[in-house]
């Protein structure tokens, strides 16, 4: 972890303020540095530079310390956020600084009701020992109580043994790695299951976690970083998505109970935290990566055309066919979802009825670019694949 309790090596003045003002989170896996106060004014290491009468650039300077593998940004949930605000980071590994990369500030789930803070997705840094973050605001302001969190899920204990055992493989079930396989610390999540009566649609997402060129060994760390960030920094009760699919075709259980849920059982459905106002009657599947064209966040091998791999899309189709079969969903059909409101990324007032495809995406119900243009354009072919698998 970054050592925030002692002065940090830096090239900018005032970094000691970060050390003195940093607050440790509840989990030993996370340490926080406060960047703005309750009024949105820079504090600690953050300094401002005027670019024009209104526009400002805010920078943390260089923060170095011990190793971490993800960073997270969060802020007061009710805080107004400059619509033009952008964030960038550069990462130091083994004393060598990399290039600047974008941090997407759009939290994929929107301001879900169960969240206690607003924020951006966890950003995977791959065993880093230093970071610098800068923000550009056309309006010259930042969110209130803005925090930079250093996340080290590698310190997670082995998943606590629970009283639930993996069920035998269900009919049509592809291989799904369980929460223990990515090292979930079950002591962090709310106890029990968040159930709902049934499922009517699947919503496809992408995680925008900072790297499309991750290795197979890095996948559990990235997933665990999402988990720790959402619970410890954003105040979620559990993992936001039901399932995650990696670029190698691996399928992973996200929210607790997602493998077991099926009609006619004690767990007819699991309520997720993946789409503001539309978590009821849906389940969320997140593709691990960023599939928005021309993103500079997506890793060395992304380029301007970040399409999901064939292994990824095949596993996604297998997963959707399995759950569609259980819930008797027509993969090329449509259904109706009712908005629970909530504002933020959800522009639909309470009670609004939307006609959506049974296999939809986050952008079909919320104002968001998720799941990225390059993934979104594959959805018609995906529906056909799922239908073929169901015969």
């Amino acid at each position: 972890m970054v050592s925030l309790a002692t002065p940090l090596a830096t090239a900018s003045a005032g970094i000691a303020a970060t050390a003195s003002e940093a607050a440790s989170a509840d989990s030993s896996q996370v340490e926080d540095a406060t960047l703005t106060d309750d009024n949105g004014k820079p504090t600690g290491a953050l300094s401002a530079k005027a670019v024009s009468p209104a526009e400002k650039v805010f920078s943390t300077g260089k923060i170095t310390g011990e190793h971490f593998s993800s960073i997270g940004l969060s802020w007061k949930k009710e805080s107004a956020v400059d619509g033009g605000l952008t964030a960038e980071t550069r990462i130091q590994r083994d004393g060598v600084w990399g290039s600047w990369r974008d941090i997407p500030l759009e939290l994929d789930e929107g301001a879900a009701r169960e969240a206690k803070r607003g924020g951006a997705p966890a950003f995977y840094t791959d065993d880093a020992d230093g970071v610098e973050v800068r923000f550009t605001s056309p309006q010259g302001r930042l969110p209130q109580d803005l925090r930079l969190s250093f996340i080290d899920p590698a310190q997670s204990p082995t998943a606590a043994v629970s009283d639930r055992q993996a069920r035998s493989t269900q009919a049509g079930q592809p291989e799904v790695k369980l929460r223990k396989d990515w090292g979930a610390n079950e002591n962090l999540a709310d106890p029990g299951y968040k159930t709902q009566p049934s499922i009517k649609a699947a919503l496809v997402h992408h995680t925008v976690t900072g790297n499309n060129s991750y290795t197979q060994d890095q996948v559990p760390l990235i997933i665990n970083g999402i988990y720790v960030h959402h619970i410890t920094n954003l105040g979620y009760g559990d993992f936001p998505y039901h399932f995650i699919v990696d670029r190698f075709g691996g399928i992973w259980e996200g929210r607790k109970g997602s493998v077991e849920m099926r009609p006619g059982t004690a767990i007819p459905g699991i309520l997720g935290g993946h789409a503001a106002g539309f978590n009821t009657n849906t389940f969320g599947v997140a593709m691990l990566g960023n599939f928005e064209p021309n993103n500079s966040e997506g890793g060395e091998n992304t380029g301007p055309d970040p399409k999901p791999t064939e292994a990824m899309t095949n596993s996604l189709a297998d997963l959707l066919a399995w759950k569609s079969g259980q819930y008797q969903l027509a993969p090329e059909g449509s259904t109706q979802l009712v908005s629970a409101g909530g504002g933020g990324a959800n522009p639909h007032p309470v009670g609004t009825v939307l006609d959506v495809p049974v296999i939809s995406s986050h952008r079909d119900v919320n104002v968001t670019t998720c799941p990225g243009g390059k993934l979104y354009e594959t959805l018609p072919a995906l529906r056909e694949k799922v239908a073929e698998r169901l015969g």
Side-chain angles (χ1 to χ4, degrees):
M1 296 292 288
V2 168
S3 178
L4 296 174
T6 57
L8 304 175
T10 178
S12 65
I15 195 66
T18 298
S20 63
E21 294 183 14
S24 294
D26 293 338
S27 169
S28 61
Q29 301 163 15
V30 177
E31 291 185 52
D32 289 340
T34 300
L35 301 183
T36 67
D37 62 19
D38 286 340
N39 296 313
K41 302 298 182 182
T43 187
L46 199 65
S47 60
K49 179 181 178 181
V51 177
S52 69
E55 186 174 18
K56 291 182 180 179
V57 174
F58 302 85
S59 177
T60 62
K62 302 174 186 177
I63 305 174
T64 59
E66 298 176 14
H67 287 238
F68 53 94
S69 62
S70 291
I71 57 173
L73 294 169
S74 64
W75 50 80
K76 186 177 179 180
K77 187 173 181 179
E78 298 79 15
S79 176
V81 179
D82 179 354
L85 183 68
T86 60
E88 300 171 285
T89 187
R90 62 174 184 155
I91 307 300
Q92 177 179 280
R93 298 188 187 95
D94 299 323
V96 178
W97 287 92
S99 58
W100 287 97
R101 296 162 61 192
D102 294 338
I103 302 177
L105 293 180
E106 178 185 304
L107 186 65
D108 184 36
E109 311 79 52
R113 288 189 174 184
E114 71 176 88
K116 295 178 176 62
R117 288 176 60 79
F123 190 92
Y124 184 64
T125 59
D126 183 18
D127 198 23
D129 50 41
V131 67
E132 182 174 6
V133 179
R134 66 187 181 195
F135 306 88
T136 301
S137 169
Q139 299 178 15
R141 59 181 174 82
L142 292 174
Q144 298 167 298
D145 191 19
L146 174 64
R147 301 176 194 172
L148 171 63
S149 299
F150 301 89
I151 306 166
D152 187 13
Q155 292 184 351
S156 299
T158 301
V161 176
S162 68
D163 58 1
R164 79 182 182 104
Q165 300 295 324
R167 294 174 185 259
S168 58
T169 301
Q170 303 162 22
Q173 178 183 335
E175 180 183 352
V176 180
K177 297 177 176 65
L178 301 180
R179 287 160 65 94
K180 65 182 181 181
D181 295 316
W182 51 261
N185 178 0
E186 297 292 3
N187 295 320
L188 292 181
D190 288 346
Y193 298 96
K194 298 177 183 292
T195 61
Q196 61 171 324
S198 189
I199 299 293
K200 297 172 64 176
L203 300 183
V204 178
H205 303 253
H206 64 167
T207 60
V208 290
T209 35
N211 197 332
N212 280 11
S213 53
Y214 51 82
T215 67
Q216 208 156 14
D217 289 342
Q218 291 170 337
V219 172
L221 267 180
I222 301 173
I223 295 174
N224 209 340
I226 297 171
Y227 177 69
V228 173
H229 178 55
H230 274 80
I231 294 178
T232 304
N233 300 328
L234 302 179
Y236 279 63
D238 198 357
F239 202 91
Y241 314 104
H242 294 77
F243 298 97
I244 311 96
V245 180
D246 67 48
R247 73 186 185 96
F248 305 99
I251 303 172
W252 304 76
E253 179 186 30
R255 183 154 289 213
K256 184 165 47 180
S258 298
V259 172
E260 291 97 325
M261 70 175 188
R262 65 181 188 269
T265 70
I267 311 174
I270 291 292
L271 185 69
H274 58 101
F278 291 92
N279 289 311
T280 299
N281 294 134
T282 67
F283 72 98
V285 183
M287 306 289 264
L288 198 62
N290 186 338
F291 300 99
E292 190 62 20
N294 299 309
N295 72 81
S296 64
E297 169 268 325
E300 295 80 357
N301 299 329
T302 300
D305 198 28
K307 294 179 181 178
T309 65
E310 184 177 357
M312 182 178 256
T313 54
N314 282 335
S315 289
L316 177 60
D318 291 342
L319 171 62
L320 294 177
W322 169 44
K323 285 300 175 185
S324 294
Q326 287 183 331
Y327 288 96
Q328 299 184 5
L329 306 180
E332 295 182 285
S334 62
T335 189
Q336 291 186 326
L337 299 177
V338 180
S339 173
N346 180 19
H348 308 289
V350 175
T352 302
V353 178
L354 293 188
D355 288 301
V356 298
V358 166
I359 297 177
S360 292
S361 74
H362 192 190
R363 69 169 63 178
D364 292 313
V365 296
N366 286 170
V367 178
T368 173
T369 61
C370 178
K374 291 297 180 178
L375 177 53
Y376 187 76
E377 67 187 24
T378 69
L379 293 187
L382 173 68
R383 296 180 188 112
E384 291 181 6
K385 279 187 177 183
V386 176
E388 288 172 0
R389 281 161 168 73
L390 287 174

